[in-house]
Amino acid sequence: MTNKEIKKAFQNKFPEFVFCVTTSKGGYSESINILIKNFEDLVTDSKTWKQIAGELITFKESLNLEKIHYDNDLKGIELGGNTYVNLGYKTKTGTTIYFPEF
């Protein structure tokens, strides 16, 4: 999926949020960063935070964007060719907070 397609999928599922999707490459791997610009404006308590974060993470995983190759002999991640997906939000102070995996 392209960044535009990822953004559109998230906006269709969560129309109340404003998303920014970027891709960066490091070595032979890439990272897709999905950030919500207005998260703190809409989510103001911890109960709602946990619920929305869970829904966002579940949706991200359903898109099957992350591709990580494991070496079964060494029990670790192979170097190169991996795609990592980070999902989070920008705070009002400009800090980026990434959601933990549940």
Side-chain angles (χ1 to χ4, degrees):
M1 292 180 86
T2 67
N3 287 357
K4 283 184 178 183
E5 291 169 330
I6 295 168
K7 183 177 180 178
K8 185 174 182 177
F10 271 90
Q11 286 178 327
N12 287 341
K13 180 74 176 176
F14 305 96
E16 66 275 16
F17 294 120
V18 177
F19 292 93
C20 175
V21 179
T22 59
T23 303
S24 59
K25 296 189 185 251
Y28 295 103
S29 295
E30 75 175 348
S31 176
I32 300 170
N33 298 300
I34 305 165
L35 295 176
I36 304 166
K37 294 181 178 182
N38 64 336
F39 189 81
E40 287 188 325
D41 294 336
L42 301 173
V43 179
T44 57
D45 62 79
S46 62
K47 184 177 177 182
T48 306
W49 190 98
K50 287 180 182 180
Q51 176 190 349
I52 296 296
E55 291 174 14
L56 287 159
I57 291 167
T58 300
F59 183 70
K60 175 196 84 159
E61 291 172 354
S62 76
L63 295 178
N64 200 27
L65 302 170
E66 199 160 56
K67 293 173 182 50
I68 302 174
H69 306 284
Y70 292 94
D71 184 323
N72 291 330
D73 295 331
L74 298 175
K75 306 289 187 229
I77 297 174
E78 290 183 3
L79 299 175
N82 299 310
T83 301
Y84 302 96
V85 180
N86 303 305
L87 174 62
Y89 61 94
K90 284 276 193 187
T91 66
K92 292 178 182 180
T93 60
T95 304
T96 301
I97 306 292
Y98 290 105
F99 296 119
E101 296 300 322
F102 284 27

